[in-house]
Amino acid sequence: AQSVTQPDIHITVSEGASLELRCNYSYGATPYLFWYVQSPGQGLQLLLKYFSGDTLVQGIKGFEAEFKRSQSSFNLRKPSVHWSDAAEYFCAVVGRGNQFYFGTGTSLTVIP
Amino acid sequence: DVKVTQSSRYLVKRTGEKVFLECVQDMDHENMFWYRQDPGLGLRLIYFSYDVKMKEKGDIPEGYSVSREKKERFSLILESASTNQTSMYLCASSSTGVAYNEQFFGPGTRLTVL
């Protein structure tokens, strides 16, 4: 069965520091993978997505993610975090029937 | 600009009431989804619909029903609200045809059942 694990419930980083949010997926076939961000009180906004091809994917707001099939991972990165990046981040994999399977989310706090 | 709107941002209801949550999308999308979001549990799919008058159960359909009479509108119904249905409800839509079309989300409805 398809599933997504985000091992870090909460992460705190200083503004200007680098960021990596972890995501591991379980899916038998070629995965379609997504990262979404949810700002406080808002719906989810797509950051980036991976279908095939280049394993390093660029997204909006300076984020990127790298697909590693051997590790079943799709980690999200940003070289320098801004205070406005404080939000909740969700990783998702598309499974059978075009159904999205979301991780439990990682909450990011940015310290000035 | 693409848009998914939900009828209420905040809603307070009493146990046993019938509750309607409305979702409208203006992108002519075939697929629409209802999720509930709870701390530590992420997003869980309640129901989804691939077409008008069609519906499919998601992972947690118990206590909910849905209605899709028009392509742009997808309603979530709590027949008899209970306190364990206090949650954030998110609606989403996507186009059909390929598996990897992103889902567009509404702002959410925070429902409190007293």
Side-chain angles (χ1 to χ4, degrees):
Chain A
Q2 42 274 8
S3 65
V4 171
T5 301
Q6 293 180 247
D8 303 306
I9 297 172
H10 186 245
I11 284 182
T12 300
V13 298
S14 298
E15 192 168 16
S18 64
L19 172 70
E20 182 169 27
L21 302 182
R22 295 183 291 166
C23 171
N24 293 99
Y25 68 89
S26 172
Y27 188 59
T30 300
Y32 301 126
L33 296 159
F34 297 75
W35 273 102
Y36 281 85
V37 61
Q38 184 181 33
S39 298
Q42 302 298 315
L44 276 67
Q45 179 186 18
L46 181 70
L47 282 176
L48 48 78
K49 55 191 174 185
Y50 170 79
F51 306 147
S52 64
D54 194 347
T55 56
L56 186 62
V57 180
Q58 300 298 320
I60 63 171
K61 306 185 181 189
F63 285 92
E64 65 179 26
E66 186 171 13
F67 170 63
K68 293 185 177 180
R69 184 186 297 275
S70 61
Q71 299 178 19
S72 297
S73 70
F74 189 55
N75 294 348
L76 183 71
R77 301 194 295 246
K78 187 170 185 179
S80 178
V81 170
H82 188 262
W83 64 265
S84 60
D85 293 325
E88 186 138 22
Y89 292 81
F90 292 94
C91 182
V93 64
V94 178
R96 288 183 300 169
N98 293 354
Q99 185 171 336
F100 274 56
Y101 293 86
F102 287 87
T104 52
T106 297
S107 177
L108 175 66
T109 297
V110 181
I111 299 173
Chain B
D1 198 13
V2 297
K3 208 163 190 182
V4 179
T5 57
Q6 296 183 229
S7 52
S8 305
R9 294 298 301 273
Y10 300 92
L11 209 53
V12 180
K13 296 292 182 180
R14 297 206 175 274
T15 300
E17 279 192 80
K18 190 169 186 176
V19 182
F20 293 87
L21 303 183
E22 305 286 340
C23 175
V24 177
Q25 51 95 2
D26 65 0
M27 297 165 280
D28 201 35
H29 283 168
E30 294 82 4
N31 310 319
M32 297 189 74
F33 307 83
W34 274 108
Y35 296 88
R36 65 176 283 174
Q37 180 182 10
D38 300 288
L41 297 177
L43 277 72
R44 294 179 292 167
L45 183 64
I46 304 171
Y47 268 97
F48 58 103
S49 169
Y50 288 139
D51 201 351
V52 175
K53 296 193 185 296
M54 292 184 65
K55 60 185 178 183
E56 297 284 343
K57 293 180 179 179
D59 299 318
I60 52 164
E62 297 77 20
Y64 304 94
S65 63
V66 290
S67 173
R68 192 159 180 208
E69 296 296 319
K70 294 185 177 182
K71 189 175 185 180
E72 67 271 17
R73 188 180 298 271
F74 192 36
S75 302
L76 180 69
I77 304 157
L78 286 66
E79 296 289 343
S80 178
S82 63
T83 54
N84 62 14
Q85 293 178 309
T86 291
S87 185
M88 169 73 90
Y89 290 88
L90 293 168
C91 175
S93 71
S94 71
S95 64
T96 196
V98 292
Y100 41 83
N101 275 327
E102 68 176 277
Q103 292 190 8
F104 294 86
F105 284 82
T109 296
R110 185 165 294 281
L111 173 66
T112 301
V113 182
L114 302 175

